[in-house]
């Protein structure tokens, strides 16, 4: 029970890594605020949390809308009494709309930034005061290997949003360390989730997996386990750090 007594809010908890983390966190003792745009998916996550013996509160909303995020924080605190962990997981990868700068429209650039970068801004803006009241806490941001290397098939707005989160992680780490609040960022490699599903056939998955040092794509559990470590007291002296969880992609 590595998160016994802790309360976590996880954005984008309806599917993929966010759902996996919700279940893993709950099975380690945390109460979880399951925040997602998709109410049905969020309800299914909450059901999985409950069958793992945990407690979940579903909040439906959009991370790019400040009022929604503020409401999620308030409802989480009202239900569970406090917040200890802010996991800014929600993100979108829209390869059909977000491309190279020479092909992307301003509107598409902006919406990708609004979800991937402004979302974490709103969560930390409204969540940090609650972590302070709780005597400290852990903030987990989600970057990407796309922020660490260039790719010929570019999603430039996504890349820039994720790269900006590296700066945010370090800034929050320095500002709020004295309040016993830590902030770290996980950079996932290619993980088999609904986010990647539109772009990956089974054959592509096998080929990409085979090209990695660890010879497979990531499973959402690989990232949830990293997040569990960052959420728990085991990482108590770790802040402002980047954790690459990518099967070795960046090392090649
Ligand atoms: N899957 C990968 O290969 C990969 C690689 C690197 C980074 N990431 C990042 O990891 C994080 C999780 O990705 P995933 O693969 O689990 O994604 P996913 O698409 O499988 O799940 C994302 C969840 O976020 C929700 N969501 C989307 N937009 C939202 C919004 N505006 N407000 C609230 N909820 C919203 C969706 O409904 C969904 O439930 C994202 O930040 C993503 O950019 C993923």
């Amino acid at each position: 029970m590595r998160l016994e007594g802790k309360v976590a809010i996880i954005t984008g908890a309806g599917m993929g890594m966010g759902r996996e983390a919700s279940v893993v966190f709950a099975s380690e003792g945390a109460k979880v605020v399951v925040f997602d745009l998709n109410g049905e998916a969020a309800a299914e996550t909450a059901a999985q949390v409950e069958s793992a013996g945990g407690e979940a509160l579903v909040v439906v909303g959009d991370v790019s809308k400040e009022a929604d995020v503020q409401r999620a924080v308030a409802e989480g605190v009202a239900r569970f009494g406090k917040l200890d962990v802010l996991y800014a997981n929600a993100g979108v990868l829209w390869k059909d709309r977000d491309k190279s700068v020479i092909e992307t429209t301003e509107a598409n650039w902006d919406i990708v930034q609004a979800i991937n970068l402004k979302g974490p801004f709103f969560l930390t803006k409204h969540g940090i005061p609650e972590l302070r009241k709780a005597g400290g806490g852990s903030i987990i941001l989600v970057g990407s290997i796309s922020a660490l290397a260039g790719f010929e098939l570019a999603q430039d707005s996504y890349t820039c949003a994720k790269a900006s989160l590296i700066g945010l992680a370090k800034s929050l780490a320095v500002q709020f360390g004295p309040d016993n609040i830590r902030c770290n960022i996980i950079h996932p490699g290619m993980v088999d989730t609904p986010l990647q599903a539109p772009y990956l056939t089974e054959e592509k998955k096998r080929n990409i997996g085979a090209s990695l040092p660890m010879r497979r794509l990531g499973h959402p559990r690989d990232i949830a386990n990293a997040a569990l470590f960052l959420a728990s007291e085991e990482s108590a002296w770790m802040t402002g750090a980047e954790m690459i969880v990518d099967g070795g992609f960046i090392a090649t």
Side-chain angles (χ1 to χ4, degrees):
M1 300 300 266
R2 293 152 73 189
L3 299 182
E4 179 99 67
K6 307 263 188 211
V7 181
I9 181 167
I10 305 179
T11 65
M15 287 178 221
M17 302 174 199
R19 170 176 288 171
E20 191 78 17
S22 300
V23 176
V24 167
F25 281 23
S27 65
E28 292 288 343
K31 298 188 168 82
V32 185
V33 181
V34 171
F35 182 89
D36 205 284
L37 197 53
N38 181 334
E40 235 172 82
E44 171 55 28
T45 297
Q48 292 188 18
V49 163
E50 277 148 23
S51 39
E55 250 184 275
L57 169 73
V58 170
V59 180
V60 178
D62 183 338
V63 290
S64 69
K65 300 210 162 75
E66 183 167 12
D68 288 4
V69 179
Q70 191 169 9
R71 174 171 51 84
V73 167
E75 286 182 12
V77 171
R79 167 76 180 268
F80 297 127
K82 60 168 184 165
L83 275 180
D84 305 286
V85 178
L86 313 177
Y87 186 0
N89 165 76
V92 290
L93 178 69
W94 288 332
K95 294 190 183 185
D96 54 335
R97 282 176 273 173
D98 179 19
K99 300 183 178 197
S100 163
V101 288
I102 59 169
E103 298 163 303
T104 299
T105 64
E106 185 179 359
N108 286 343
W109 177 278
D110 285 347
I111 181 71
V112 170
Q113 294 287 314
I115 297 167
N116 291 341
L117 182 56
K118 235 168 26 162
F121 156 47
F122 292 146
L123 183 66
T124 51
K125 174 178 175 177
H126 294 288
I128 286 171
E130 296 301 332
L131 300 188
R132 271 183 159 153
K133 283 185 213 157
S138 174
I139 302 166
I140 304 164
L141 304 181
V142 181
S144 171
I145 52 169
S146 306
L148 305 179
F151 292 86
E152 280 181 37
L153 281 175
Q155 289 80 47
D156 279 329
S157 184
Y158 181 84
T159 292
C160 291
K162 294 301 193 182
S164 294
L165 292 175
I166 299 172
L168 184 65
K170 293 177 196 304
S171 178
L172 298 183
V174 171
Q175 289 177 69
F176 300 108
D179 294 316
N180 193 31
I181 294 171
R182 302 179 294 108
C183 182
N184 297 287
I185 182 165
I186 299 173
H187 294 301
M190 197 175 264
V191 180
D192 193 1
T193 67
L195 174 134
Q196 291 286 3
Y199 317 113
L200 291 178
T201 59
E202 286 305 315
E203 190 191 357
K204 251 191 182 170
K205 280 188 204 172
R206 270 196 305 279
N207 291 342
I208 296 170
S211 72
L212 297 174
M214 295 314 295
R215 297 289 188 268
R216 66 170 176 87
L217 287 192
H219 183 277
R221 180 61 62 103
D222 294 312
I223 309 303
N225 282 337
L228 170 62
F229 170 69
L230 292 176
S232 77
E233 293 305 317
E234 289 159 27
S235 57
W237 206 50
M238 189 167 164
T239 196
E242 296 175 59
M243 193 186 253
I244 301 172
V245 187
D246 69 344
F249 174 84
I250 286 294
T252 58

